[in-house]
Amino acid sequence: MAKGKSGHIAVPFLVTIFIGLIIVGGIAYGAYRYFGLGKQEELTEPIPRAVDEITSGDNHTMLMVLDAPEKNCPPTFILMRSMPIKKSIVFIGIPSNTIALVDDKQMSIRGSYESGGPTAAVDFVTKVFGLNVDRYMKLNSDAAKKVYDIFGDVSYPVNADIAGFQNDGSSQLLNSEQALTFVTYTMFKDGESERAFTAASFLTSMFNQTDGKYLADNMDNNFGIIINMVESNVTSADYKKHKTAIKNMFENGKSIASALSLDGTISGQDFIPSENFIEKIKEKFSETK
């Protein structure tokens, strides 16, 4: 009799345990869901990467000075207006004998430079032209030739009686040494005004003839090389800030550079810039679209 009862008791006991497990499990599962345990995170839209926008804030004006005394040549002054938003660069050669009244005193850009260096030349240009010149860069012969090498040989019409050159106005492929000799030639027919424009025009050809994609791809390396060879107030922070805009200009621009001839009057040994031309320059440099 005892054995028969044990079988009947075991079945209800197992059922009770099974039901208990279901109840406990249900309570645990409810608590698990209630408190958000094991809840899968909902997929969210990926955050888009920030894209550098090219604005008028990327525009800048720089005075470049080539100082090569071993060439027995006055300093070469070129004003550069870079406008990446328009994919445009304008070069203006400023004759070294340019004079103007500055603070009621007659001054020249060459005299300012020789007495106070590039910053004094920048101050002269700022006051005479009424422009905000952001930066300056002073190059010696070695730095200038390195820049020419980076951009590559330039085809340019030569009309100067220089040994080793064809003086017939035909285009000649100039290497870095020839380029330096050409822009520091002091016997142009119209003197310093012609030499200044020639230097600006040569830079224009150099920029327009280079492989923009190649230049853009090697910007970091080239910037490091050049900035260590020149005297300048351009910083690494400046470069990083405008790098995207400049790179885009080189990669996607077509014939981005142009040169303007500084209009004025030659008076004896001096060059006096035209007031009307200065006003036009102010207007052109203020363009952003």
Side-chain angles (χ1 to χ4, degrees):
M1 294 294 293
K3 290 181 179 179
K5 286 183 178 180
S6 63
H8 291 290
I9 293 172
V11 172
F13 180 72
L14 292 173
V15 172
T16 301
I17 293 176
F18 182 72
I19 294 174
L21 290 173
I22 293 176
I23 294 173
V24 173
I27 294 173
Y29 180 74
Y32 191 75
R33 292 297 302 272
Y34 180 80
F35 290 105
L37 300 176
K39 184 179 179 180
Q40 291 185 345
E41 292 292 333
E42 293 183 2
L43 295 176
T44 58
E45 291 293 326
I47 300 175
R49 291 181 296 174
V51 177
D52 292 320
E53 183 181 1
I54 300 171
T55 70
S56 59
D58 290 303
N59 297 347
H60 55 278
T61 306
M62 175 187 292
L63 180 66
M64 296 186 293
V65 183
L66 170 59
D67 194 346
E70 72 279 6
K71 292 289 186 178
N72 296 315
C73 175
T76 306
F77 301 96
I78 298 187
L79 191 64
M80 181 189 78
R81 176 63 170 172
S82 177
M83 296 173 281
I85 193 171
K86 296 180 63 178
K87 298 183 182 65
S88 172
I89 298 176
V90 178
F91 293 108
I92 302 176
I94 303 176
S96 64
N97 58 343
T98 298
I99 64 170
L101 285 177
V102 178
D103 299 330
D104 296 326
K105 296 181 181 179
Q106 181 173 295
M107 301 180 66
S108 70
I109 189 171
R110 180 179 180 180
S112 298
Y113 170 73
E114 290 178 344
S115 63
T119 55
V122 165
D123 189 52
F124 177 90
V125 173
T126 298
K127 291 179 178 178
V128 173
F129 289 86
L131 301 172
N132 179 28
V133 181
D134 308 301
R135 297 289 184 266
Y136 68 82
M137 184 175 290
K138 174 186 172 184
L139 302 89
N140 60 18
S141 295
D142 290 338
K145 287 189 288 186
K146 176 56 69 175
V147 171
Y148 295 145
D149 283 335
I150 287 173
F151 278 79
D153 293 352
V154 178
S155 181
Y156 193 86
V158 177
N159 58 350
D161 189 13
I162 307 174
F165 290 75
Q166 296 177 18
N167 181 23
D168 57 4
S170 62
S171 290
Q172 300 171 50
L173 192 62
L174 307 182
N175 59 31
S176 59
E177 186 65 51
Q178 292 171 317
L180 180 64
T181 298
F182 182 52
V183 300
T184 56
Y185 178 67
T186 59
M187 301 298 291
F188 285 103
K189 180 180 177 181
D190 290 331
E192 280 296 280
S193 58
E194 183 177 353
R195 188 176 75 85
F197 175 70
T198 298
S201 180
F202 184 85
L203 277 178
T204 296
S205 296
M206 185 178 76
F207 270 71
N208 289 339
Q209 291 179 27
T210 193
D211 183 340
K213 180 66 168 59
Y214 174 81
L215 203 64
D217 289 343
N218 292 276
M219 275 179 55
D220 289 346
N221 183 56
N222 290 335
F223 174 78
I225 292 173
I226 295 302
I227 205 63
N228 289 320
M229 296 183 69
V230 301
E231 178 185 337
S232 178
N233 61 349
V234 176
T235 66
S236 296
D238 294 327
Y239 172 69
K240 291 178 181 178
K241 181 179 179 181
H242 302 296
K243 173 183 173 179
T244 298
I246 296 172
K247 186 175 183 178
N248 176 69
M249 179 169 61
F250 282 131
E251 285 185 330
N252 301 310
K254 301 294 183 182
S255 298
I256 62 175
S258 61
L260 294 178
S261 177
L262 182 58
D263 187 30
T265 304
I266 298 175
S267 177
Q269 298 297 314
D270 301 321
F271 179 86
I272 305 171
S274 162
E275 290 294 334
N276 290 334
F277 180 83
I278 289 176
E279 290 303 317
K280 290 180 181 179
I281 289 299
K282 290 179 183 178
E283 182 179 348
K284 186 173 185 62
F285 277 28
S286 65
E287 294 176 356
T288 57
K289 296 181 181 180

